[in-house]
Amino acid sequence: MTTDHHDNEQASAIDASKAERHKARQQKVKVGVDAKIAAAQEEKGILLVLTGNGKGKSTSGFGSVARAVGHGHKAAVVQFIKGSWACGERNLLAGAGVPFHVMGTGFTWDTQDKAKDTQAAMEAWLEAEKLLKDESINMVLLDELTYMVSYHYIELERVLTALKNRPAMQHVIITGRACHRDIIELADTVSEVQPIKHAFNDGIKAQLGFDY
């Protein structure tokens, strides 16, 4: 037997052993995943919070709305803070029949008028409360709601009450930084988006079609 032939046999044996170990690991993973799937039988409306200082929270929320609409479900969006900006997601989803209720004053550091912002926030929140009572709406996105609570434009207890009393199968997504701990405690799923790098910090402006 030549040395090359022997080496090839050894390499084949090693590859076969690696393949068997990989298969065994994946089978173990599958058993665990299957067990979790079998145990997760409850159906209910999910409260999802997307928070943290990183980019992509609203984008993720709009993605979930698009998914719901793609399955023929009814969704609605209430936008706080960003309402004065152009919004590609709003252009697309409104055309697909998704109602939008927009606070419309833009960023609070631009208006610098607490009374005006509080009134605008409450007008948007009144629309949100209507949606949170509507059993025909499968999903509600409350985009940037966390700021309204942080700035005390909307009472925390009023938000918690509406979320707790919404239709049992209605999904709600809340986005924004520094979500109040009581909302996080109430939520079923919480994802925190953390920044590693951000182009804006390097002097790159927000760009149409990518950032908004």
Side-chain angles (χ1 to χ4, degrees):
M1 179 183 297
T2 65
T3 300
D4 287 345
H5 182 70
H6 178 71
D7 289 345
N8 288 338
E9 284 189 338
Q10 281 190 321
S12 296
I14 291 171
D15 288 343
S17 177
K18 287 181 178 179
E20 284 300 318
R21 290 198 299 272
H22 174 76
K23 183 178 180 179
R25 286 195 300 268
Q26 294 305 107
Q27 286 178 335
K28 185 176 181 179
V29 170
K30 184 178 185 304
V31 169
V33 171
D34 288 347
K36 289 182 179 180
I37 292 173
Q41 294 300 312
E42 181 183 0
E43 291 188 10
K44 57 169 286 187
I46 299 297
L47 174 57
L48 167 63
V49 170
L50 301 169
T51 192
N53 295 331
K55 173 180 171 58
K57 299 180 291 294
S58 294
T59 304
S60 177
F62 280 118
S64 293
V65 171
R67 174 186 292 157
V69 173
H71 285 295
H73 294 178
K74 291 183 66 177
V77 178
V78 182
Q79 284 186 290
F80 300 91
I81 291 185
K82 291 181 181 175
S84 62
W85 275 42
C87 178
E89 296 96 336
R90 186 165 69 234
N91 295 341
L92 178 68
L93 293 170
V98 176
F100 274 72
H101 302 283
V102 182
M103 182 170 159
T105 55
F107 296 102
T108 187
W109 51 85
D110 287 331
T111 65
Q112 301 178 18
D113 186 335
K114 186 173 182 178
K116 179 181 178 182
D117 287 341
T118 300
Q119 180 180 351
M122 279 307 305
E123 289 174 359
W125 176 248
L126 289 173
E127 296 298 332
E129 286 184 325
K130 293 177 185 176
L131 295 171
L132 293 171
K133 295 176 182 177
D134 189 342
E135 294 185 357
S136 73
I137 303 295
N138 303 107
M139 178 180 291
V140 179
L141 170 59
L142 303 174
D143 186 36
E144 312 287 9
L145 175 66
T146 61
Y147 296 98
M148 303 299 98
V149 175
S150 297
Y151 298 158
H152 304 291
Y153 295 165
I154 303 172
E155 293 179 3
L156 172 64
E157 286 305 319
R158 186 163 181 168
V159 173
L160 293 172
T161 297
L163 293 172
K164 291 175 182 177
N165 293 332
R166 73 187 194 277
M169 294 305 296
Q170 186 182 79
H171 304 303
V172 176
I173 303 172
I174 294 174
T175 71
R177 298 185 182 194
C179 185
H180 194 283
R181 61 184 177 275
D182 288 355
I183 298 177
I184 289 177
E185 179 64 26
L186 181 63
D188 300 287
T189 301
V190 180
S191 292
E192 186 175 28
V193 183
Q194 291 298 338
I196 304 302
K197 295 177 69 176
H198 199 302
F200 181 74
N201 295 329
D202 291 329
I204 301 172
K205 67 185 294 185
Q207 298 174 70
L208 182 71
F210 182 80
D211 293 294
Y212 60 95

